Amino acid sequence: MLKSILKYLISSLLALVLLSWAFSTSHLHWRDLLLTFFKADYNWVTVSIVIAIISHLLRALRWEQLLGAMKYQPGTVRTFSAVLIGYFANFLVPRLGEVSRCGSLKKTADIPFEESFGTVITERIVDLLSLVVLVGITFIFEWKPLQESLFPTLHLPSGTLIITASVLGLLGLGILWKFKDFLQKVGKESKVGKMILGWVAGIGSIRHLDQPGKFIGYSAGIWLCYYLSTYTLFLAFPMSENLGMSAALTVLVMGTFGMATPTQGGIGAYHSLVASAFVFYSLAYKDGFMLATFFHGTQMITLLLLGGISFILTLFLPKINSRVDQN
């Protein structure tokens, strides 16, 4: 109990420190934020919110497919509600979302916590790999602004970057394949190795899906919706509407890293990273921070509202036995 309280206090303190630092660095005043919010085109904001909700629905459908491979059919209403409850919980306590969504399905669909949590781990591995691919695509298409901001003295053509990254990636895979037996032996003898081998096993479980193509489609659809939701928010503000679709890719990647930090809903880290991303495109840090605050606030309000509604809904949903007869 004490350990959980300490973790919560540390994460809250970290969020407060990061947010305070971002505010002081940007020299932003609350009046500036209010003026920015009043100038927003809420037609585009509404479109962005709708697209974001679709991404959450796709995540629920993908999770439902993983559960189906384990002979459970909880239904979309229960899985969608559980996903939204998980997002809601993450804004209260970092990393509580995974536990909350599995607890929700235990309550409404009688799915053992351990089994549903295993599917969540598989989901997280797939999301991590998707993010790695997204980062690679971002560096390929947005190498110039990133290079000018991060590596001003480095002059490396994007073509050379692609070839170098491809060669190094293939070389790394070749080494892993060459020494796979040795790595498996070492992996079983260490905690980190066991964790990595567990991740590999989790990815391998996807092979048991009835329709793996649908799973890939759901995964691609989730990230496409994330991207479109970000880009449509660009269109809601005069200062960002002309930055282009590729800039939205950079903001999405930086924002994803921010949301992954151990703070409630990525508070503080998201604001700092996204504001810095806008600087890559010659936007003042102050303006970038205002946009980051609006982007994050839109997500937070939507997820807290929908998550709260979902929690209330689960109180009235009858508990079912979602286990499908294997005979």
Side-chain angles (χ1 to χ4, degrees):
M1 181 67 178
L2 180 61
K3 186 178 179 180
S4 299
I5 293 174
L6 285 174
K7 283 184 177 180
Y8 178 77
L9 291 176
I10 291 172
S11 64
S12 299
L13 180 61
L14 178 60
L16 181 62
V17 169
L18 289 173
L19 196 60
S20 299
W21 177 81
F23 260 99
S24 62
T25 304
S26 64
H27 303 291
L28 188 65
H29 300 287
W30 288 108
R31 182 174 178 275
D32 299 320
L33 278 176
L34 291 175
L35 288 175
T36 301
F37 290 3
F38 285 135
K39 292 178 182 177
D41 184 341
Y42 283 90
N43 291 319
W44 283 117
V45 174
T46 302
V47 172
S48 176
I49 291 173
V50 171
I51 294 174
I53 294 173
I54 292 173
S55 76
H56 306 324
L57 177 59
L58 291 175
R59 181 172 291 279
L61 292 172
R62 187 180 70 173
W63 189 27
E64 191 175 347
Q65 191 181 8
L66 284 172
L67 293 168
M70 300 176 68
K71 307 302 179 183
Y72 291 105
Q73 292 184 358
T76 305
V77 171
R78 287 172 173 78
T79 51
F80 189 36
S81 297
V83 166
L84 293 174
I85 289 172
Y87 283 127
F88 179 92
N90 273 335
F91 276 101
L92 302 179
V93 180
R95 304 294 170 264
L96 183 63
E98 288 78 2
V99 176
S100 298
R101 60 191 277 196
C102 296
S104 176
L105 278 193
K106 170 63 179 174
K107 179 181 180 299
T108 62
D110 198 25
I111 298 178
F113 179 90
E114 296 79 9
E115 294 187 35
S116 61
F117 193 74
T119 60
V120 171
I121 293 176
T122 301
E123 267 201 303
R124 289 293 173 259
I125 296 170
V126 173
D127 288 338
L128 178 60
L129 293 176
S130 300
L131 180 58
V132 170
V133 172
L134 201 65
V135 169
I137 294 173
T138 303
F139 266 95
I140 291 172
F141 285 98
E142 291 297 275
W143 172 247
K144 186 175 181 180
L146 293 176
Q147 178 261 320
E148 290 176 349
S149 298
L150 301 175
F151 317 104
T153 59
L154 179 64
H155 300 286
L156 184 66
S158 58
T160 304
L161 178 68
I162 296 171
I163 295 173
T164 302
S166 300
V167 171
L168 290 175
L170 291 173
L171 182 62
L173 290 174
I175 292 174
L176 289 175
W177 178 257
K178 178 70 176 179
F179 297 99
K180 66 180 187 302
D181 295 333
F182 173 75
L183 292 173
Q184 287 180 344
K185 182 179 178 180
V186 173
K188 293 177 181 178
E189 298 173 356
S190 69
K191 184 178 293 186
V192 175
K194 289 179 180 178
M195 181 179 67
I196 294 174
L197 291 176
W199 288 355
V200 173
I203 289 292
S205 67
I206 296 176
R207 293 176 298 177
H208 303 297
L209 293 173
D210 292 334
Q211 296 176 293
K214 181 185 289 187
F215 185 89
I216 295 172
Y218 284 147
S219 300
I222 290 168
W223 285 95
L224 178 61
C225 285
Y226 286 167
Y227 170 73
L228 292 176
S229 179
T230 301
Y231 178 66
T232 47
L233 282 179
F234 271 43
L235 301 177
F237 297 92
M239 69 179 78
S240 59
E241 63 180 350
N242 295 319
L243 291 181
M245 299 185 72
S246 55
L249 189 62
T250 304
V251 169
L252 171 60
V253 169
M254 298 295 276
T256 302
F257 281 121
M259 296 296 285
T261 57
T263 62
Q264 289 86 340
I267 293 174
Y270 178 95
H271 298 73
S272 300
L273 290 174
V274 170
S276 299
F278 279 115
V279 174
F280 296 158
Y281 301 93
S282 302
L283 207 64
Y285 186 84
K286 179 179 179 180
D287 292 334
F289 186 79
M290 285 192 292
L291 292 175
T293 303
F294 187 91
F295 287 14
H296 186 272
T298 301
Q299 296 180 56
M300 183 173 69
I301 293 172
T302 301
L303 291 174
L304 287 177
L305 178 61
L306 294 178
I309 293 173
S310 297
F311 178 76
I312 296 172
L313 176 63
T314 57
L315 297 178
F316 297 95
L317 281 175
K319 186 174 183 178
I320 64 171
N321 182 2
S322 60
R323 181 73 178 181
V324 179
D325 188 3
Q326 300 185 44
N327 296 325

